[in-house]
């Protein structure tokens, strides 16, 4: 790669003049500027931003750490790609670029992040898949790397986060099912330590209590957050004595596997069992009967995440004076046919 | 963030000793090393790899540039996430990390890459969605950034690439359809300048010639590479005079939209129209009748891409002496029911 020195030698002009021409300074005549830019293009000169960044202490790059499991890849989970357009629309205002940091499936996310922090490839981070106790938050705080987490955590402290309204979703789902006469309402929850599972389950439990329904741990089905997990949830649900009449799913693509397992057993969703899914997903749109689920805009969430992050960065915070440090992101109920039947009073 | 100077002051030890302790040099006694490491952890000391990289001229990061369109996100296209595990399994051998560089939908990929090269966030690049003429290849060659492209191009020259066997797929598909009695075989090709469209179409044309079938441009349907594009292809196909009896699709998710449009019109895939899809895709597995398509391993392709790339990098090439610069990646036919009927001889 050609550096500024080679460029100056090639043109037989001083390094200072070449530098001023490249940086658009006014004290270079137009003809010289054109010659310099043409030669830079021809010789493949690339500004050494690594050097520039080191002087400024910045990379102008924002990282989005993603954890893709074998399951989410096979499910073609589009969640993170869906966030990029919103994130980039905000970052572009400030000439910042977004890169995605995919944590390998077999690596500990904390160790991975530690290495990426040491590599200093980014000025700031967005982390996701927040665990109930998440050491990554302490790591970033100590390293003084601005960050926002998609998902709150017991470790959050004063740090910035945006989280989906799992509590609101659990409440709406339980209210709706109870209004349709259901009392035995199962829930398919993630089998890992991801914090959203705890929040969702708490919301479900409190919503049941509000309706005077005792919490029954045997109705909590722990499965992987995948289509396959949904299939497994269907399988376990069919084996519960005094079978529940309704089920709430925490992950969007579970519905596809659940429908498949129920259909195999001759149990018709929306007729023999009420089903409420989580986030509306393009693929789940083709399910018959139509799935009752919750809508949100990934683009808008990306915008909000970027603005919340920039508000924590000294160089940009003045652009976002009104940004909230923490936000619960609402989802809107989209009624379908999967939970539209009413249980008889005799039940 | 704490630097080495602050760490040395805190411990009241010389910077040199702290540095030797952190870098695992043997001339530091065990107790001092432990004190230094404990303090580094406690104070959030992070090695300045940006400075280290600048001295070494490396970042130890490999970039995978991806171009996600609105369509591919809505389709939840899992292609690139599917490559990461294979790529990372090879890069991890050399303590290299993978980052993904998502080019914004509204930005020119060349301008985007130029900026990312200038930012020097990566040592080497994998580019994809190769265009027929692709200026990015010249850019990377001139900038002396090692790279491999997923997809050949007229611009490829001596550079490294791996491409899927579009020609082989077109040949197998045409052979199979001709053997079943078809002569009017349509093809749904991408409407953009992506090079794979040209290669696929050339293969299709030559395969027809081989069977003595005249190429008919009215049977080439140009649509977006998306589920929606497949729906559009179905729509256009139904309007062709002397309707074709078979269609070959270039993009995997087109089949879902195509089936939908055909079903709306009462045309049954695999009965009234033979359909051959491209890459096998988890979602397309649920199509009825089962889609004839082609199988490949994204993990294995990721492994091969990483090894081909490392073979172009001076620091790693000796590990991969037998690596080919260019490779056509095979796909295996998976027969389904979507093209299994035979046309009557009377046709």
């Amino acid at each position: 790669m050609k550096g500024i020195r080679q460029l100056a030698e090639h043109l037989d002009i001083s390094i200072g003049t070449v530098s001023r021409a490249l940086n658009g300074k006014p004290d270079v005549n137009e003809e010289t500027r054109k010659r310099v830019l043409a030669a830079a293009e021809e010789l493949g000169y690339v500004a050494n931003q690594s050097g520039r960044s080191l002087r400024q202490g910045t990379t102008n790059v924002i990282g989005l750490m993603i954890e893709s499991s074998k399951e989410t890849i096979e499910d073609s989970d589009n969640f993170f790609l869906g966030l990029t357009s919103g994130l980039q629309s905000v970052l572009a205002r400030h000439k910042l670029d977004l890169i995605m940091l995919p944590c390998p499936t077999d690596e500990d996310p904390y160790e991975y992040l530690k290495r990426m922090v040491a590599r200093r490839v980014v000025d700031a981070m967005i982390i996701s898949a927040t665990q109930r106790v998440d050491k990554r938050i302490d790591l970033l705080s100590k390293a003084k790397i601005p960050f926002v987490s998609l998902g709150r955590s017991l470790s959050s402290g004063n740090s910035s986060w945006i989280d989906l309204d799992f509590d609101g979703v659990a409440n709406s789902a339980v209210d709706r099912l109870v209004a349709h006469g259901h009392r035995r309402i199962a829930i398919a929850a993630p089998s890992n330590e991801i914090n959203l599972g705890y929040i969702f389950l708490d919301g479900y439990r409190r919503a049941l209590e509000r309706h005077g329904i005792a919490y029954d741990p045997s109705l909590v089905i722990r499965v992987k957050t995948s289509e396959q997990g949904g299939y497994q949830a269907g399988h376990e649900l069919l084996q519960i004595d005094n079978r529940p009449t309704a089920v709430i799913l925490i992950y969007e693509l579970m519905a596809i596997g659940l429908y498949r397992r129920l259909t195999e057993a001759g149990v018709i969703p929306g007729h023999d069992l009420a089903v409420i899914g989580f986030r509306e997903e393009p693929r789940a749109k083709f399910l018959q009967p139509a799935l009752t689920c919750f809508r949100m805009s990934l683009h808008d969430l990306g915008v909000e995440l970027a603005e919340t992050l920039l508000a924590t960065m000294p160089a940009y915070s003045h652009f976002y004076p009104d940004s909230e440090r923490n936000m619960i992101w609402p989802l809107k109920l989209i009624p379908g046919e999967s939970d539209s039947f009413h249980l008889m009073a005799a039940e």
Side-chain angles (χ1 to χ4, degrees), chain A:
Chain A
M1 193 178 315
K2 300 290 179 177
I4 196 163
R5 185 179 302 277
Q6 287 82 354
L7 201 56
E9 278 170 14
H10 174 82
L11 289 163
D12 200 15
I13 306 181
S14 77
I15 292 181
T17 303
V18 172
S19 170
R20 288 197 303 280
L22 289 171
N23 288 307
K25 293 283 160 66
D27 58 347
V28 181
N29 79 52
E30 196 48 35
E31 200 193 329
T32 307
R33 186 194 317 284
K34 281 186 185 159
R35 271 186 65 210
V36 171
L37 294 179
E41 177 96 29
E42 196 209 333
L43 297 178
Y45 166 78
V46 180
N48 187 338
Q49 290 226 359
S50 187
R52 191 183 296 166
S53 295
L54 197 65
R55 288 193 299 278
Q56 298 178 346
T58 60
T59 63
N60 297 316
V61 172
I62 306 297
L64 168 63
M65 176 170 168
I66 63 177
E67 288 166 54
S68 53
S69 65
K70 197 167 165 298
E71 284 81 28
T72 55
I73 290 173
E74 283 178 1
D75 280 2
S76 312
D77 189 324
N78 70 337
F79 190 85
F80 293 109
L81 274 179
L83 292 178
T84 56
S85 72
L87 287 166
Q88 290 175 323
S89 70
V90 174
L91 298 179
R93 292 176 205 154
H94 307 287
K95 301 198 187 307
L96 296 169
D97 273 306
L98 177 75
I99 63 173
M100 291 162 83
L101 309 175
C103 177
T105 315
D106 55 2
E107 188 168 358
D108 177 64
Y110 174 77
E111 294 301 327
Y112 174 80
L113 181 62
K114 203 164 159 180
R115 195 170 67 245
M116 297 314 284
V117 164
R119 290 213 194 284
R120 295 257 180 108
V121 284
V122 297
D123 289 347
M125 283 289 303
I126 301 158
I127 60 171
S128 60
T130 320
Q131 303 290 301
R132 189 161 169 79
V133 172
D134 203 316
K135 284 166 64 190
R136 295 178 302 166
I137 291 173
D138 301 325
L139 171 68
L140 291 169
S141 303
K142 273 192 184 167
K144 301 224 186 339
I145 309 246
F147 71 98
V148 57
S149 68
L150 178 56
R152 71 207 105 152
S153 161
L154 295 180
S155 315
S156 288
N158 290 322
S159 67
S160 291
W161 53 259
I162 299 183
D163 207 354
L164 306 190
D165 187 8
F166 297 103
D167 188 59
V169 165
N171 265 291
S172 302
V174 169
D175 285 357
R176 208 173 138 84
L177 291 168
V178 170
H180 289 190
H182 298 275
R183 309 279 298 173
R184 281 186 68 73
I185 302 168
I187 187 163
S191 52
N192 56 24
E193 276 293 297
I194 196 160
N195 198 39
L196 67 88
Y198 288 88
I199 297 170
F200 209 111
L201 214 54
D202 280 353
Y204 157 83
R205 196 169 175 154
R206 280 200 313 276
L208 290 177
E209 273 169 20
R210 214 165 14 83
H211 292 287
I213 301 171
Y215 169 75
D216 178 353
S218 76
L219 298 186
V220 178
I221 304 169
R222 299 273 178 189
V223 286
K224 290 198 169 168
T225 49
S226 65
E227 205 175 301
Q228 192 54 37
Y231 186 89
Q232 180 65 23
H235 188 73
E236 295 191 16
L237 201 135
L238 292 168
Q239 322 224 324
I240 298 175
D241 288 334
N242 184 11
R243 203 162 78 201
T245 59
V247 62
I248 301 169
L249 308 174
I250 292 194
Y251 176 70
E252 43 266 29
L253 293 172
M254 278 184 187
I256 299 173
L258 177 81
Y259 268 51
R260 205 157 67 240
R261 182 66 190 93
L262 293 179
T263 306
E264 282 173 13
V267 173
I268 305 171
H271 185 271
D272 303 320
L273 180 80
V275 183
I276 297 189
F278 181 52
R279 189 171 65 91
E280 188 185 38
E281 218 275 340
R283 255 163 305 157
K285 278 186 186 160
F286 299 111
L287 290 174
Q288 282 296 336
L291 183 70
T292 295
C293 57
F294 295 84
R295 182 174 294 168
M296 57 176 284
S297 159
L298 286 176
H299 178 91
D300 293 351
L301 176 59
V303 167
E304 194 67 40
L305 272 172
E307 295 189 345
T308 303
L309 178 64
L310 291 171
T312 70
M313 299 173 72
Y316 305 101
S317 56
H318 60 286
F319 289 105
Y320 304 98
D322 303 323
S323 186
E324 306 272 355
R325 284 189 85 81
N326 305 130
M327 182 182 282
I328 301 285
W329 193 257
L331 289 93
K332 187 179 162 232
L333 180 87
I334 306 296
E337 303 291 322
S338 63
D339 71 333
S340 57
F341 70 107
H342 288 247
L343 277 192
M344 295 299 106
E347 253 265 332

